[in-house]
Amino acid sequence: MVKLLCLVVAMFSPVLLAQAALSLQGYQFGPGDTIKISVYQEADLSVTAQISQQGFIDMPLLGSVKMTGLTQQQAKEKLEALLRDGYLVSPSVSITVDSYRPFFIYGEVRSPGSYPYQPDITLEQAIALSGGLQDRASRKQWHIQRGVDKTTFVATADTIILPGDVIKIDKSFF
């Protein structure tokens, strides 16, 4: 029985990891994310900054730069173009995420609020972090609001949570 369980876990773990990696690949920066920006051979231009509520970071030479809604690749290209415009001949920028913004959960859970993002966390795990479902909570009406455009969709227990997601657990009527 234990061997069968290990086999099942081994088969599905790569699927969940691939799903999480794909969902973070197109991840758009937002307020609360902390990013580390390095400019090759320009240590004075490297910075670690948290994106403000207005969506900006402060960069040496460039001042305030809007980062909200950009993917990692788009932000890299934007900073390289800005640095190329009168500052550096051929800038090479790398960006890594130092820490992600939290996700939020409310509705029929025992401890609603914000929780630090953890890679590969599922909705079921997020519910467990928030103390579990209350007695009158729906077992199927779980909604996630995601992204800059605040797209809302119905989620299942194995839906991967992303930074900044807002999770609503509805009441059950039966």
Side-chain angles (χ1 to χ4, degrees):
M1 181 68 176
V2 172
K3 287 183 181 180
L4 178 62
L5 181 61
C6 289
L7 179 63
V8 170
V9 169
M11 286 174 33
F12 287 105
S13 292
V15 172
L16 290 175
L17 290 174
Q19 182 184 4
L22 283 175
S23 58
L24 281 176
Q25 187 175 20
Y27 175 69
Q28 296 178 333
F29 295 135
D33 287 333
T34 302
I35 56 176
K36 184 175 189 169
I37 300 168
S38 300
V39 181
Y40 181 66
Q41 293 187 336
E42 298 292 339
D44 293 345
L45 298 179
S46 297
V47 66
T48 299
Q50 184 176 38
I51 299 174
S52 71
Q53 289 302 314
Q54 294 76 29
F56 292 88
I57 61 160
D58 288 326
M59 280 286 298
L61 297 179
L62 302 176
S64 291
V65 180
K66 187 166 180 82
M67 298 302 257
T68 297
L70 299 178
T71 64
Q72 191 170 2
Q73 183 63 34
Q74 291 168 333
K76 171 187 167 35
E77 291 169 3
K78 179 177 184 172
L79 291 175
E80 286 176 346
L82 290 170
L83 288 168
R84 200 175 299 114
D85 187 22
Y87 297 107
L88 299 174
V89 176
S90 183
S92 178
V93 173
S94 67
I95 300 175
T96 55
V97 178
D98 211 31
S99 65
Y100 292 99
R101 61 189 181 267
F103 67 89
F104 303 86
I105 186 165
Y106 73 102
E108 297 301 308
V109 291
R110 300 201 188 281
S111 298
S114 70
Y115 291 88
Y117 173 74
Q118 300 169 27
D120 306 328
I121 190 170
T122 64
L123 178 53
E124 185 174 46
Q125 293 166 329
I127 290 170
L129 273 177
S130 66
L133 297 172
Q134 291 185 0
D135 296 337
R136 301 267 312 168
S138 171
R139 303 294 186 231
K140 294 183 181 181
Q141 287 300 310
W142 302 338
H143 295 89
I144 295 179
Q145 189 180 62
R146 177 173 289 167
V148 178
D149 58 356
K150 300 190 185 301
T151 304
T152 301
F153 61 94
V154 176
T156 61
D158 62 345
T159 300
I160 300 293
I161 302 302
L162 294 180
D165 278 357
V166 178
I167 304 162
K168 180 183 180 194
I169 307 298
D170 291 330
K171 274 187 180 178
S172 174
F173 293 106
F174 299 101

